[in-house]
Amino acid sequence: MADNLQEQLYQRIREGLLAGRFQPGERLKIRDLAAQWGSSPMPVRAALQRLVAEGALEGEPQRSVRVPAMTRERYQNIFQVRLGLEGLAVELATPRLTPADLAVLRDCVARMDLAIEQRQVQAYLDANSQFHLHLYSACGNPVLLRSIESLWLQIGPFFNRLFTGADLSLRLNDFHEEAFTAIEAGDAKAARQFMEQDLLYFARFLLNLLELEGAQARSVSP
């Protein structure tokens, strides 16, 4: 029973990281999470320790953990690997998708459109992570999928920053729609191209944002 509860809590925190429900630098206190979820501290601590071991969280003194802060160098390193792995996953997954898979992806695109229109950040991030990860899960390569999910656990919290530019949100779903059109047509190479364009477009924005923040931090340092 305790192992089952620990697994449930682990999956809940993990899904939250993938969908950007936690912020970079946010501190996660074991007792607060236990009280929030109505459990004892022990299974929460075990779940958090698993995520620390996976590199998704960082341990801190006083039995707490935090979501790692993001730097430009760290984002660049993660992105370079993501681009190749996620592009490959899209190309492998496209011919393997079932009608049920296509229905899930179509629904995600519609939900992202609605979330952008209504400026619902978390609703967009939830649908975005489901679109990407459901698509990748059809790649048929468990090693590739585990690698992608490991990177998403590290980068997911930073996706909140996509909404710091009001004009940027208007393009948040363009590449998803183009990729889905290619996926429906069974054009794996085009689907890969559009998804890579999606990654590249927003990486440029986020890297510029991190560069600006780094410059601001250096300017106020004593």
Side-chain angles (χ1 to χ4, degrees):
M1 186 70 175
D3 289 344
N4 186 49
L5 178 58
Q6 176 191 320
E7 181 64 24
Q8 290 177 10
L9 294 173
Y10 166 79
Q11 291 296 338
R12 186 178 298 182
I13 300 168
R14 186 176 184 277
E15 289 168 6
L17 290 166
L18 290 171
R21 296 187 196 121
F22 299 104
Q23 298 285 339
E26 181 177 348
R27 191 178 183 192
L28 305 181
K29 297 182 180 179
I30 293 171
R31 292 195 178 279
D32 290 349
L33 292 174
Q36 176 183 339
W37 293 330
S39 74
S40 67
M42 187 175 297
V44 176
R45 182 180 298 110
L48 292 174
Q49 287 173 344
R50 283 179 64 183
L51 290 162
V52 169
E54 293 173 8
L57 297 173
E58 293 179 338
E60 285 199 323
Q62 301 178 347
R63 297 185 176 183
S64 66
V65 301
R66 73 181 181 101
V67 180
M70 186 57 66
T71 65
R72 193 179 193 281
E73 180 181 11
R74 182 166 181 258
Y75 184 89
Q76 181 71 58
N77 290 338
I78 293 173
F79 170 72
Q80 287 175 342
V81 182
R82 284 185 63 211
L83 186 63
L85 295 185
E86 294 183 35
L88 175 60
V90 172
E91 190 168 351
L92 293 175
T94 296
R96 300 171 57 92
L97 294 167
T98 67
D101 291 323
L102 293 175
V104 170
L105 297 176
R106 185 181 299 108
D107 178 66
C108 288
V109 172
R111 285 161 49 207
M112 283 188 277
D113 270 337
L114 181 62
I116 291 169
E117 179 183 337
Q118 297 180 347
R119 301 294 295 169
Q120 294 181 347
V121 175
Q122 194 56 61
Y124 173 83
L125 293 174
D126 286 345
N128 176 66
S129 65
Q130 185 181 7
F131 179 87
H132 282 264
L133 296 174
H134 189 89
L135 173 57
Y136 304 153
S137 71
C139 71
N141 186 325
V143 175
L144 176 60
L145 184 60
R146 282 196 299 271
S147 299
I148 290 172
E149 289 181 344
S150 174
L151 294 171
W152 267 68
L153 285 171
Q154 299 176 61
I155 202 69
F158 193 58
F159 288 154
N160 289 282
R161 307 304 299 277
L162 290 171
F163 285 84
T164 57
D167 58 337
L168 183 67
S169 67
L170 300 177
R171 294 212 62 187
L172 276 171
N173 213 23
D174 287 359
F175 297 112
H176 297 135
E177 293 172 348
E178 292 168 333
F180 182 69
T181 298
I183 289 167
E184 279 194 306
D187 190 339
K189 291 192 179 300
R192 176 175 185 164
Q193 180 183 18
F194 285 125
M195 290 302 290
E196 288 177 343
Q197 287 177 0
D198 174 64
L199 297 179
L200 285 163
Y201 181 84
F202 294 109
R204 283 194 291 269
F205 170 78
L206 292 171
L207 286 168
N208 287 338
L209 177 64
L210 285 165
E211 179 64 27
L212 177 62
E213 291 178 346
Q216 291 174 339
R218 289 190 295 271
S219 69
V220 299
S221 296

